[in-house]
Amino acid sequence: MSQDESIRASEVLAGQGEKVLLPALDLLEHISEPIGKYPYQGWESLYREQLDYDYFGRTTHSVNCTGSCTWKVYVKNNIAFKEEQYADYPDINASLPTYNPRGCQKGANYKEYVYGPQRLKYPLMRAGARGEGKWRKASWEEATSYIANKMVNAISNYGPDTVTFYSANPAKFAITYTGGVRLANLIGAVVCSFYDWVSDLPPGEPITWGVQTDSCEAADWFNSKYIIVWGSNILETRIPDAHFLTEARMHGTRIVAIFPEYNPTSIHADMYVPVKPGTDCALALCMANVIMNEKLYDETYIKQYTDMPILVRMDSGKFLRENDMVQDGSPDKFYVWDLSLDRPALVPGTKGTLNTIGWTLNLGSMNPALEGTFTINTLSGEIKVTTVFSLLKQKLATYDPPHVSVITGVDADLVTQIAREFAKTKPARIIGGAGTNHHYHNDLMSRSHILLAAMTGNVGIQGGGFDYYVGQERFWPEDGFVKLAYPLGRSKQRFQPTTLWTYVHAHIASEVNNLWPRPMIDYIRESVSNGWMPLYPEGTLDNGKSPKVLIIWGANYLNQAKGFESILTNLWPKLDLIVDIDFRMNTTGLYADVILPAASMFEKWDLSVTDLHSYINPFTPIIEPQMDSKTDWQIWQLLAKALQDTKFSFTDILPGGITLTRDFSTLVNDFTENGSLASDKSAGQCILDNAVETKGMTMDGINQQPRRFVATHEERTSDIKEGVAYYGFQRMYELKRPLSTLTGRQQFYIDHQWFLDFGEQLPAYKPPVDEDKYPLRWNTPHGRWSIHSVWRDAKYQLRLQRGRPIVHLNPAEAQARSLADNDAIEIYNDHGKIVAQLCISQRIPAGMAHMYHGWERYNFEKGGFQSPTTIRMKPTQLVGGYGQLEFRFNYWGPTASQRDTRVNIRKYIS
């Protein structure tokens, strides 16, 4: 019987012909109890009592998964015994899929960490060698006093810039993150970045748009008509949001999945496109070639919202600037060729027009030429100029489908088909992720993806654009965070791009000098000398000064670090003190000197947000901190008290010449603002009160129900609109508001001299780096069973897989090495070795070894998943002093990619 027939069969007449609807199951024949009547029914209440509870509370999980899911935790006899999705997000509108319920299988068993053997129960001090696992129990007073004395010793003998703080992502736990940064701000310590270090920062966004990242929330996927999922394995790594993609497809959206390996997202696509690893940029530029040649681009859009009409000098490759044409002219004003006047004209909206009537993208009566070569009389004489569009057209001509097919392995006709579909179907978007961004030339990849979205007029419209999701980088209530994190102001904080800091202090040997005109160290020196990138301790490139204290909280720095073995060998011995603050033992803690036990996510107030939805969730203290653990906010106050007890003070001279006295004798009052911020809850309320996004909200109010943001910061590209899913660049498109790029619009041409020297002034394909002379690409993507290293040692997640580290390998590669499924294997190259088990899988292409990342070092018999990696920096990402390209914390800095690593595999003989 069909569903419709079943429903019709349940309609029966009653009384005077009235039609009533009865449950269909009532029509079935009733079956008596098969064992008859029985006297004892206590077993029924036994099951009910197992799920009985005293009360429940609200929390979320601060694990950088981009989920930011609100959970209901049930408590009985003061034990948190059950978690389930809360499912009370207010819907945006009735036509969009709901965010409810929201969660995944990992969040459903976080309680294992609350009570499991991994949980840190009290302060620990190292009693053996680092990494040996020998500890002794310490009191909070002993541990914090020891740390404080080490910090004071480092500052007094070597300077405050030898004390370094590292954590990751305030979006996942704002109060936890802010506490450490706040203390660092007060004592003059260095705070390290995270978004660039883990290579989650998509460099193409600051290069092209002048933003860190600004992506739509997941509900806007439903508004798309065409989606290319390009290197973002949503079905495995964005489980709470995956339904928006599948529901969009059910609604008629065409889904194209582009990955080297066949993965769960590929299964749910209309078309799967297997691309050779690291050649994605060539594929994107080939699509742009088709769009260009067939004139499928949106001419009106690109004239107004991109730099394509702007004139470029043919003698130098530089933009034609006002100071080329007019004495004392601005270097930040640029020209187009106005067809209505038949002469060059200054284009509105550029950096040089800021705070003037010309700061707009409204062209008025101006009609810029897209193509052509023109003769211009400048202050230095007659020159020829052309447009960015003309140069782009020349560049794209080299990426024809037959040629690119050889590079990418994608059929030429298929590339042409996808390009036509993408250009002709509107709105269309590309969803990007780590699959492309963890490659060395990630900046070129993301620039080429943005190019496709902009050429077709899809940036700034509902359902369109380039949207990128890796890491929970976006903290919406930014002003509230800044108010709490930097009591002395941002100008008095030492910020450090972590990739550069680690590269230098771990003595990483450059393996990419052959790719560039000069050795990498020359670019580093020039960047630091010019003030483009900070590097602490100051002068380290010349005086060899080293960091002395490293404090890590809410992150697993060592386990996730590229260049793992070099860090252990070269950086770790330089450090007099390593402190790890966490709720569980991890690899970083194993190699630390002091471990401080933090409260779990069930035991504190905190705040969580994400790019993927527009709500704010709280953590709440559902149960008391277990054993001798404390909340991070309270731990920082204990450290402030220990530092205060030293009565230390010093005169600090910051870069730029700012001088101030740092007096530790008032540190507790400075940290808590004379007690007003002593509680975790008050710290959270401070954030809510000082941000436009959360004006009028209270910690108690969002505990009752998550709230949608009421506004957005001026630096964001879009407003929050009632009944509309958030999407990026509304203000550019709808309000004609310029971007923060040098040209004020989407900028695809970068005329910084380094970019010109490297041939990267426009998006260009450069092949994957093959410096490791081994046959297999080492692919370590995010997976289904952990969020980075969290849950990698959790038994219920381990039971859903093989229970130990495994490497997926193509059958032909296994056969060539005489390997069988589940063999113990050694993965190796010149940087390090790992021992794991083999899983033979047909979905992995030949030439690739695939291991889901995050395994703790103690999960392995030998090595760790980052052992084969090193740090390879691109000089383009050390650039500064150019419009939108200037170091800002977690906005612009060198990324530490790892997907160009190559290895080999052999059977392991112990």
Side-chain angles (χ1 to χ4, degrees):
M1 183 182 292
S2 71
Q3 184 180 22
D4 288 343
E5 290 170 337
S6 175
I7 293 172
R8 285 196 298 271
S10 67
E11 295 176 349
V12 297
L13 294 177
Q16 300 295 320
E18 291 182 14
K19 196 179 194 181
V20 296
L21 192 65
L22 297 178
L25 290 178
D26 285 357
L27 300 178
L28 300 176
E29 180 183 352
H30 289 272
I31 299 175
S32 59
E33 175 59 53
I35 62 172
K37 293 184 178 180
Y38 51 93
Y40 175 69
Q41 296 182 341
W43 62 272
E44 295 177 353
S45 60
L46 174 66
Y47 283 103
R48 292 192 184 98
E49 287 170 4
Q50 285 183 349
L51 298 178
D52 193 18
Y53 60 91
D54 298 329
Y55 65 91
F56 59 83
R58 186 187 297 274
T59 191
T60 185
H61 301 107
S62 55
V63 286
N64 194 23
C65 61
T66 71
S68 187
C69 307
T70 187
W71 284 80
K72 182 183 290 188
V73 179
Y74 294 88
V75 179
K76 184 175 183 178
N77 298 327
N78 296 318
I79 301 293
F81 73 96
K82 180 174 178 274
E83 301 151 87
E84 69 179 24
Q85 296 137 303
Y86 225 114
D88 63 345
Y89 291 96
D91 286 337
I92 294 175
N93 68 50
S95 65
L96 290 174
T98 182
Y99 279 102
N100 298 306
R102 186 173 182 81
C104 72
Q105 88 284 13
K106 297 172 287 296
N109 78 286
Y110 175 75
K111 60 185 174 295
E112 178 181 340
Y113 279 134
V114 179
Y115 303 111
Q118 311 95 323
R119 181 71 190 265
L120 292 165
K121 302 174 178 61
Y122 33 73
L124 297 173
M125 299 185 71
R126 179 168 57 86
R130 286 175 179 166
E132 192 177 0
K134 293 183 178 179
W135 306 94
R136 67 175 180 84
K137 181 178 178 180
S139 68
W140 277 99
E141 182 179 5
E142 179 189 9
T144 54
S145 295
Y146 179 79
I147 295 167
N149 288 329
K150 286 281 191 179
M151 292 171 71
V152 166
N153 181 69
I155 294 170
S156 59
N157 291 321
Y158 306 105
D161 59 359
T162 64
V163 177
T164 307
F165 283 55
Y166 177 82
S167 186
N169 300 43
K172 67 177 183 175
F173 52 1
I175 301 170
T176 293
Y177 180 89
T178 304
V181 176
R182 184 176 178 88
L183 184 61
N185 187 249
L186 290 169
I187 68 173
V190 174
V191 173
C192 279
S193 63
F194 51 85
Y195 198 37
D196 43 2
W197 165 233
V198 295
S199 200
D200 288 354
L201 169 69
E205 295 209 26
I207 291 173
T208 310
W209 286 333
V211 300
Q212 178 200 48
T213 307
D214 202 356
S215 300
C216 74
E217 61 179 306
D220 193 53
W221 301 348
F222 193 73
N223 294 320
S224 303
K225 297 300 182 187
Y226 197 95
I227 297 177
I228 300 178
V229 187
W230 207 326
S232 181
N233 188 2
I234 292 169
L235 270 292
E236 270 195 311
T237 65
R238 304 287 177 267
I239 292 173
D241 295 291
H243 71 95
F244 286 104
L245 188 73
T246 55
E247 289 189 63
R249 187 179 178 218
M250 291 172 64
H251 193 242
T253 303
R254 183 163 173 80
I255 309 294
V256 176
I258 302 179
F259 299 92
E261 79 282 4
Y262 191 68
N263 58 35
T265 300
S266 307
I267 296 170
H268 292 273
D270 295 291
M271 181 188 297
Y272 165 59
V273 181
V275 62
K276 291 180 182 178
T279 66
D280 307 81
C281 183
L283 181 60
L285 294 176
C286 183
M287 291 173 60
N289 167 285
V290 175
I291 292 168
M292 178 70 78
N293 291 342
E294 299 186 8
K295 298 188 185 308
L296 299 175
Y297 51 83
D298 188 330
E299 181 174 342
T300 302
Y301 179 96
I302 61 179
K303 281 186 176 184
Q304 186 161 27
Y305 299 109
T306 79
D307 66 343
M308 292 187 196
I310 293 180
L311 297 176
V312 178
R313 297 174 59 127
M314 297 181 73
D315 58 348
S316 65
K318 299 277 190 174
F319 284 125
L320 181 67
R321 289 168 159 81
E322 188 186 40
N323 63 357
D324 291 325
M325 305 287 286
V326 179
Q327 200 69 39
D328 298 324
S330 169
D332 298 332
K333 292 183 179 179
F334 309 98
Y335 290 87
V336 296
W337 189 269
D338 189 350
L339 291 171
S340 61
L341 301 175
D342 197 31
R343 62 174 173 80
L346 287 171
V347 68
T350 65
K351 184 180 178 183
T353 67
L354 188 64
N355 299 321
T356 72
I357 195 171
W359 194 68
T360 176
L361 294 178
N362 193 337
L363 296 177
S365 62
M366 183 179 288
N367 183 18
L370 269 183
E371 290 189 78
T373 300
F374 311 96
T375 302
I376 303 281
N377 288 312
T378 70
L379 292 174
S380 59
E382 188 177 273
I383 64 168
K384 289 189 179 297
V385 297
T386 188
T387 64
V388 171
F389 183 88
S390 295
L391 295 172
L392 177 66
K393 190 173 184 178
Q394 294 172 26
K395 170 72 75 174
L396 293 179
T398 63
Y399 295 99
D400 59 279
H403 171 64
V404 170
S405 178
V406 175
I407 296 172
T408 63
V410 180
D411 181 78
D413 290 340
L414 182 58
V415 180
T416 303
Q417 175 191 338
I418 297 169
R420 289 171 179 165
E421 290 178 354
F422 185 80
K424 292 179 180 180
T425 311
K426 209 167 185 178
R429 71 166 16 108
I430 296 170
I431 297 177
T436 53
N437 205 65
H438 286 186
H439 282 281
Y440 183 72
H441 292 297
N442 52 10
D443 47 357
L444 295 172
M445 291 190 186
S446 48
R447 289 171 71 191
S448 66
H449 291 159
I450 296 170
L451 176 64
L452 288 172
M455 286 179 73
T456 53
N458 275 296
V459 179
I461 66 172
Q462 193 174 44
F466 170 73
D467 297 279
Y468 169 87
Y469 310 97
V470 187
Q472 217 159 312
E473 102 298 329
R474 179 176 185 171
F475 191 72
W476 293 67
E478 184 171 351
D479 283 347
F481 162 73
V482 170
K483 167 79 172 175
L484 188 62
Y486 309 113
L488 301 181
R490 274 177 165 167
S491 64
K492 296 182 177 64
Q493 179 59 60
R494 291 178 169 92
F495 292 113
Q496 174 65 61
T498 304
T499 305
L500 179 59
W501 183 86
T502 305
Y503 182 95
V504 169
H505 294 302
H507 302 305
I508 301 293
S510 175
E511 298 178 343
V512 293
N513 287 343
N514 62 306
L515 301 180
W516 310 106
R518 293 184 281 153
M520 181 58 62
I521 188 62
D522 286 3
Y523 295 109
I524 292 172
R525 285 187 176 278
E526 185 173 338
S527 179
V528 173
S529 175
N530 289 341
W532 296 347
M533 290 291 154
L535 179 59
Y536 296 107
E538 284 193 78
T540 184
L541 292 174
D542 297 315
N543 59 29
K545 197 173 178 183
S546 300
K548 296 298 176 184
V549 174
L550 178 59
I551 299 179
I552 300 159
W553 76 106
N556 197 352
Y557 166 84
L558 184 59
N559 195 67
Q560 306 302 109
K562 274 71 78 172
F564 185 104
E565 301 298 340
S566 294
I567 291 170
L568 271 187
T569 302
N570 300 320
L571 171 58
W572 239 233
K574 295 178 181 179
L575 297 165
D576 295 335
L577 176 67
I578 302 164
V579 179
D580 184 47
I581 304 172
D582 213 315
F583 62 84
R584 70 181 186 99
M585 177 63 79
N586 58 25
T587 298
T588 301
L590 183 64
Y591 286 86
D593 302 308
V594 180
I595 303 177
L596 301 179
S600 78
M601 302 167 201
F602 294 175
E603 301 162 4
K604 62 183 180 181
W605 285 101
D606 217 319
L607 297 168
S608 174
V609 299
T610 178
D611 292 45
L612 280 160
H613 66 63
S614 50
Y615 305 90
I616 187 164
N617 304 320
F619 304 68
T620 66
I622 302 165
I623 56 176
E624 290 295 315
Q626 300 297 290
M627 285 71 77
D628 203 12
S629 66
K630 297 182 183 298
T631 70
D632 294 79
W633 190 254
Q634 299 307 315
I635 290 172
W636 296 118
Q637 290 182 57
L638 288 176
L639 281 172
K641 174 63 167 61
L643 287 165
Q644 179 173 287
D645 289 345
T646 67
K647 297 181 172 54
F648 180 67
S649 68
F650 68 101
T651 300
D652 190 6
I653 303 175
L654 290 158
I658 299 174
T659 302
L660 67 159
T661 299
R662 299 190 187 269
D663 183 1
F664 287 9
S665 67
T666 61
L667 204 51
V668 174
N669 278 339
D670 295 340
F671 188 93
T672 64
E673 287 194 4
N674 298 313
S676 65
L677 296 175
S679 72
D680 300 46
K681 191 176 182 180
S682 63
Q685 192 62 49
C686 174
I687 292 174
L688 298 180
D689 288 343
N690 287 282
V692 296
E693 291 84 352
T694 51
K695 278 292 184 185
M697 296 186 194
T698 64
M699 296 294 283
D700 287 330
I702 61 175
N703 183 25
Q704 290 299 312
Q705 185 180 24
R707 288 279 306 278
R708 194 168 190 235
F709 298 112
V710 297
T712 56
H713 194 275
E714 273 299 302
E715 291 188 4
R716 296 300 178 192
T717 67
S718 296
D719 298 308
I720 284 282
K721 296 181 179 181
E722 183 71 26
V724 177
Y726 181 89
Y727 59 97
F729 302 94
Q730 298 169 25
R731 291 169 178 165
M732 176 199 74
Y733 184 72
E734 296 173 11
L735 305 180
K736 310 297 183 285
R737 186 178 299 179
L739 301 176
S740 59
T741 60
L742 188 62
T743 62
R745 52 228 338 115
Q746 300 174 76
Q747 187 172 336
F748 296 100
Y749 192 88
I750 306 297
D751 69 340
H752 186 284
Q753 192 58 50
W754 284 13
F755 280 72
L756 292 167
D757 291 345
F758 305 150
E760 296 188 19
Q761 62 269 38
L762 284 166
Y765 167 68
K766 290 190 173 181
V769 176
D770 289 333
E771 298 313 300
D772 298 320
K773 304 305 179 185
Y774 292 89
L776 302 172
R777 293 204 176 278
W778 182 233
N779 189 39
T780 53
H782 299 166
R784 183 189 304 274
W785 303 283
S786 75
I787 302 300
H788 310 297
S789 57
V790 182
W791 286 289
R792 269 302 182 201
D793 54 359
K795 64 182 179 182
Y796 293 111
Q797 298 307 313
L798 291 171
R799 289 173 180 175
L800 296 177
Q801 44 186 310
R802 296 198 182 186
R804 52 187 173 180
I806 57 175
V807 173
H808 301 261
L809 195 64
N810 181 274
E813 297 287 1
Q815 184 178 11
R817 293 163 175 79
S818 301
L819 298 173
D821 194 73
N822 214 37
D823 273 352
I825 56 172
E826 186 174 57
I827 306 95
Y828 64 95
N829 63 13
D830 294 341
H831 304 294
K833 299 175 181 178
I834 315 170
V835 172
Q837 305 302 124
L838 179 64
C839 175
I840 298 176
S841 174
Q842 292 186 349
R843 70 183 185 90
I844 306 300
M848 176 186 286
H850 176 103
M851 172 183 276
Y852 288 111
H853 91 151
W855 293 100
E856 297 281 7
R857 191 171 176 90
Y858 51 73
N859 290 132
F860 293 88
E861 183 176 338
K862 179 192 293 185
F865 80 97
Q866 295 283 27
S867 291
T869 66
T870 187
I871 300 173
R872 299 184 176 114
M873 290 194 298
K874 276 197 77 170
T876 51
Q877 296 174 19
L878 294 169
V879 159
Y882 178 93
Q884 65 271 30
L885 302 185
E886 57 179 5
F887 172 72
R888 294 210 306 271
F889 194 56
N890 294 311
Y891 160 82
W892 178 247
T895 58
S897 59
Q898 84 285 351
R899 289 207 181 194
D900 294 87
T901 303
R902 300 184 73 96
V903 300
N904 204 352
I905 290 177
R906 60 194 170 205
K907 185 173 288 189
Y908 176 65
I909 307 298
S910 58

